[in-house]
Amino acid sequence: MSDLVLCTIEPNGVARVSLNRPDRMNALTAELFDDLIRVALELKANPALRVVVLHGEGRAFSAGLDLDNFKQVDDPASRIAPGKLGERTHGDCNFFQYAALVWNDLHVPVIAAIHGVAFGGGLQLALGADMRLIAPDAKMSVMEVRWGLVPDMGGMWVLKNLLRTDQIADLVFSGRVVTAPEAVHLGLATRIAEDPLDDAMNMANSLANLSPNALREAKNLINFTARNDRSAILQRESDVQDELIGGPDQREAVNAYLEKRAPQF
């Protein structure tokens, strides 16, 4: 087990997951992806988990794929060798896609705290979170075209739910760098935060006090909404509410409010 991804869990179930290659601005390697998936699956199996905060140590969230990876392209055993990426290693995902999208699959809110830069694969990793808080001076880029590539870590699947097609084309074709205000305006980032990590942890601690069942079903419903049509969404809303209303968590949420005390879930 390496230390490329660090994870600490607070007693209230808030997990802080940190990319830990600060000397390389958290550039992504196959080994770091291994650690991301390992940590995510451990968290997924933890029944006490309430919220996840994802961030990068050092000067940046992530500068994207470590270009040293391209030295392995001609190695048939490499996971980026031509023809390997089409292999579905994790459900409908390949290895690299899953490292980003597994955070979307967690049944708890995941908040990305972005500082410095989130470029290329680093941006796609951030897109796997439910929300992205970004520092005022941080920058984002769908940068793959600069290396003769396209976004391939699930970025296209997420972007279609965030941006218009022409906006996606602008970013993907050009690989241009966008500032934090433009990132929020476009929908790449959720909002600007003076201290993204501090704000994300404060948000996580607030969410950890809410009904875990309601948060889980809310996330499931949000994801379902992004993937389905009106009729299916309306039915799903009703089905989920039927499961929640009158349940112990929902009753406790109301009773705690009426009794002016902290809920106990």
Side-chain angles (χ1 to χ4, degrees):
M1 186 181 300
S2 74
D3 60 354
L4 295 176
V5 177
L6 307 177
C7 181
T8 59
I9 304 178
E10 302 295 329
N12 64 352
V14 172
R16 176 172 160 175
V17 177
S18 310
L19 307 183
N20 191 37
R21 292 190 77 206
D23 56 320
R24 297 298 297 270
M25 296 180 70
N26 299 313
L28 304 171
T29 64
E31 293 75 20
L32 192 149
F33 284 125
D34 277 325
D35 269 16
L36 278 171
I37 292 173
R38 172 185 57 79
V39 168
L41 292 179
E42 289 174 357
L43 291 173
K44 194 173 185 179
N46 184 344
L49 185 68
R50 294 291 179 265
V51 190
V52 175
V53 172
L54 186 62
H55 81 114
E57 297 290 344
R59 296 184 292 127
F61 180 79
S62 174
L65 191 68
D66 191 321
L67 296 184
D68 285 346
N69 285 279
F70 294 119
K71 297 176 182 177
Q72 306 170 22
V73 168
D74 295 324
D75 180 356
S78 169
R79 281 182 279 199
I80 65 170
K84 286 291 187 69
L85 295 178
E87 297 177 5
R88 302 296 90 183
T89 58
H90 296 77
D92 61 353
C93 297
N94 68 26
F95 167 72
F96 300 99
Q97 291 166 335
Y98 193 65
L101 295 183
V102 66
W103 306 97
N104 189 254
D105 289 343
L106 262 63
H107 298 305
V108 300
V110 179
I111 308 164
I114 311 297
H115 71 292
V117 301
F119 288 165
L123 173 57
Q124 291 184 84
L125 175 59
L127 291 175
D130 300 297
M131 294 172 281
R132 286 158 293 284
L133 307 187
I134 187 169
D137 59 349
K139 296 178 173 63
M140 290 179 157
S141 175
V142 185
M143 192 169 277
E144 284 78 7
V145 72
R146 295 195 184 187
W147 320 125
L149 299 171
V150 296
D152 68 337
M153 287 171 51
M156 296 303 295
W157 182 84
V158 180
L159 285 172
K160 77 179 183 67
N161 292 316
L162 297 177
L163 279 65
R164 300 192 315 256
T165 302
D166 62 319
Q167 293 172 320
I168 296 172
D170 174 30
L171 298 178
V172 173
F173 292 165
S174 69
R176 68 183 181 85
V177 174
V178 301
T179 62
E182 185 179 7
V184 173
H185 175 73
L186 289 170
L188 287 175
T190 308
R191 62 176 173 84
I192 292 175
E194 289 296 327
D195 186 333
L197 179 57
D198 188 57
D199 277 21
M201 291 300 296
N202 287 337
M203 180 186 293
N205 286 320
S206 295
L207 293 177
N209 291 322
L210 302 176
S211 162
N213 284 339
L215 285 176
R216 181 184 64 249
E217 293 301 342
K219 177 161 179 173
N220 288 341
L221 184 57
I222 290 167
N223 289 340
F224 184 89
T225 299
R227 301 168 190 170
N228 288 274
D229 61 18
R230 172 189 163 109
S231 177
I233 291 167
L234 294 177
Q235 184 63 55
R236 182 64 174 172
E237 283 183 351
S238 302
D239 292 344
V240 169
Q241 201 74 312
D242 274 341
E243 294 174 8
L244 290 174
I245 197 164
D249 276 11
Q250 194 265 324
R251 292 178 187 274
E252 172 62 6
V254 173
N255 290 337
Y257 176 79
L258 294 175
E259 296 165 11
K260 295 180 171 56
R261 60 174 174 81
Q264 301 294 318
F265 297 116

